Amino acid sequence: MNLPGSAKTHLYVGLIVAFVGIVVGGYAYTGDRIYDIVYLPVALFGLALVLAGSALAGYGQANRPRLGGRGQDEEPSIFGKLALWITDRARGDDAEPEAEADDVDEPAASS
């Protein structure tokens, strides 16, 4: 399974979802609500959020190439792109690359 988005996004969104699940489950189990069966679905929903968030965070962590995961190279940050653009400007590489001539497929010589 290959989810859209970067590995860091999966990690942070998963941690946020897990934290929300902890808050929701904690709400269902504080005070006198712990003895009321009406709040059982709320507690189970919080548990489901914790499990889904931890699974998403684990998926993101497993796909981080820096840690040996199978993910692709991540896009450079906005500051990395800016630094690359500045160094290209300083070298004078701001001109568009010339279009290469079309390669003509020549038949291979048979020996």
Side-chain angles (χ1 to χ4, degrees), residues 42-105:
V42 176
L44 292 177
F45 179 67
L47 176 66
L49 283 177
V50 169
L51 291 176
S54 63
L56 184 61
Y59 177 81
Q61 193 71 4
N63 287 325
R64 292 181 71 180
R66 181 176 62 88
L67 299 174
R70 63 173 176 78
Q72 297 90 7
D73 292 336
E74 294 184 10
E75 250 184 60
S77 67
I78 192 76
F79 297 114
K81 289 179 184 178
L82 181 63
L84 182 63
W85 180 75
I86 290 172
T87 55
D88 285 347
R89 284 290 202 158
R91 282 188 278 165
D93 293 344
D94 57 334
E96 292 290 326
E98 296 178 14
E100 296 181 14
D102 291 334
D103 293 333
V104 178
D105 291 334

